[in-house]
Amino acid sequence: MNTCTEGILRKNQLSITEVRKKILTLFLTHNGALTHSDFENNFGEKMDRVTVYRTLQAFVEKGIIHTIPTSDNSVQYALCKDNCSAGHHRHRHIHFVCSNCRNTYCLDDIITPEIGLPAGYSVNKVEVLVEGICSVCN
Amino acid sequence: MNTCTEGILRKNQLSITEVRKKILTLFLTHNGALTHSDFENNFGEKMDRVTVYRTLQAFVEKGIIHTIPTSDNSVQYALCKDNCSAGHHRHRHIHFVCSNCRNTYCLDDIITPEIGLPAGYSVNKVEVLVEGICSVCN
DNA sequence: GTAACTGCAAAATATTTGCATCCTT
DNA sequence: AAGGATGCAAATATTTTGCAGTTAC
């Protein structure tokens, strides 16, 4: 796992540090999206708030993780499993929020549908957020 | 217009006050979503920050307006044109964000598609957010 | 050795709560 | 008159910025 996180960091020209490896490991081992406060509070890792902000921001910029728009406007982050690169996120999967366990998941196999828009509109990106009950809670 | 805003407030069992009429009028006359800071800063209305928070919250609860999930996690609000009621928002329209003018619009005529989920998942609500260039900017 | 990263302090921003006063009904 | 709404002060939460010390390369 360590090799893995180091490889990801190296590939993205980020220097290999303890904090970055920790955060990346949590993403790799955790099934579902994570929030800033997950890192700051839980997981018994006690990371510095500011460092977490900067790390998450760096990861988003490099295309390692992506943010997920949510109904309650909390900021959720999840690993990019698509071919994202610095400055270019190209996700087509949908996101799912469980109303029961409150977890957010990327459903990587389900791609966003084509949306027909009125004349004059051009489409760049489509985000789909589904709310319901996940398979674990059901 | 005044009659209109008063009617909406009355129908939702909210007492008719100046602030509520102002905010409601801005929603009715503005094409596109609005944010908290639109009310606090722009429009030359100088409304109290806290009152704006409470008013928007009350309107959301009553089903007069709804929030729109956005990629940058700013909180956007728009009028409910569907049959929403207290505690029950039932939108099926999609939302569009223009990358150029940064405005967010409800595309009321375009309803969200059915999304096929893996076994075990049940769907409650589907949100679609399209990013691109709007007809005005195009 | 140098550039990049971290962690602390502090600033800036955003949101919530309490309460006295005012307005709607 | 009574209950709800407003607006101010202040508490709390969130995010950003600056900088000195530390670490990666």
Side-chain angles (χ1 to χ4, degrees):
Chain A
M1 178 61 79
N2 240 16
T3 326
C4 180
T5 55
E6 294 184 11
I8 292 172
L9 292 172
R10 197 171 293 120
K11 193 173 63 189
N12 287 283
Q13 293 143 55
L14 291 170
S15 43
I16 294 160
T17 67
E18 281 312 304
V19 175
R20 285 173 178 170
K21 282 194 285 184
K22 270 184 194 166
I23 290 182
L24 205 39
T25 299
L26 286 170
F27 274 116
L28 288 165
T29 56
H30 193 274
N31 183 27
L34 297 169
T35 67
H36 173 93
S37 73
D38 284 333
F39 297 105
E40 204 190 324
N41 305 321
N42 310 340
F43 300 128
E45 292 286 2
K46 296 277 182 251
M47 289 177 262
D48 179 69
R49 189 181 304 155
V50 176
T51 305
V52 173
Y53 276 116
R54 291 196 267 227
T55 304
L56 293 174
Q57 187 179 297
F59 285 4
V60 170
E61 276 165 13
K62 292 293 187 181
I64 300 172
I65 61 175
H66 60 282
T67 59
I68 302 172
T70 58
S71 299
D72 65 347
N73 287 284
S74 63
V75 188
Q76 302 272 345
Y77 299 90
L79 270 187
C80 294
K81 290 159 204 155
D82 310 299
N83 287 325
C84 298
S85 55
H88 286 285
H89 285 272
R90 43 186 115 259
H91 304 281
R92 302 234 16 214
H93 66 264
I94 72 164
H95 294 120
F96 184 90
V97 189
C98 179
S99 326
N100 186 238
C101 63
R102 286 280 104 205
N103 278 128
T104 300
Y105 303 101
C106 297
L107 299 186
D108 298 291
D109 297 333
I110 304 181
I111 65 167
T112 57
E114 297 289 330
I115 305 285
L117 293 185
Y121 287 83
S122 55
V123 179
N124 204 347
K125 202 175 100 187
V126 178
E127 285 273 5
V128 175
L129 181 70
V130 179
E131 201 177 306
I133 307 291
C134 74
S135 58
V136 178
C137 293
N138 240 338
Chain B
M1 178 64 77
N2 239 17
T3 325
C4 182
T5 55
E6 293 184 10
I8 292 171
L9 292 173
R10 196 171 294 120
K11 192 173 63 188
N12 287 283
Q13 293 143 57
L14 291 170
S15 44
I16 294 159
T17 67
E18 280 313 303
V19 176
R20 287 175 176 170
K21 282 195 285 184
K22 272 185 195 168
I23 290 181
L24 205 39
T25 300
L26 287 169
F27 274 115
L28 289 164
T29 56
H30 193 274
N31 186 25
L34 297 168
T35 67
H36 174 95
S37 73
D38 284 332
F39 296 106
E40 202 189 328
N41 305 321
N42 311 342
F43 300 129
E45 292 283 3
K46 297 275 181 252
M47 287 179 265
D48 178 69
R49 189 181 304 153
V50 177
T51 305
V52 173
Y53 277 116
R54 290 197 266 228
T55 304
L56 292 174
Q57 186 181 298
F59 284 5
V60 169
E61 275 165 13
K62 291 295 187 178
I64 299 172
I65 62 178
H66 60 283
T67 59
I68 302 172
T70 58
S71 299
D72 66 346
N73 289 284
S74 63
V75 189
Q76 301 272 345
Y77 299 90
L79 268 189
C80 294
K81 290 160 202 152
D82 310 297
N83 287 325
C84 298
S85 55
H88 285 283
H89 286 270
R90 42 185 116 258
H91 305 282
R92 302 241 7 218
H93 66 263
I94 72 165
H95 294 120
F96 184 90
V97 188
C98 180
S99 326
N100 187 238
C101 64
R102 287 280 104 201
N103 277 127
T104 299
Y105 302 101
C106 296
L107 299 186
D108 298 291
D109 297 334
I110 304 181
I111 65 166
T112 57
E114 296 289 329
I115 306 284
L117 292 186
Y121 287 83
S122 55
V123 179
N124 202 346
K125 202 173 101 185
V126 178
E127 285 273 5
V128 175
L129 181 69
V130 179
E131 200 176 306
I133 308 290
C134 74
S135 57
V136 179
C137 293
N138 241 338

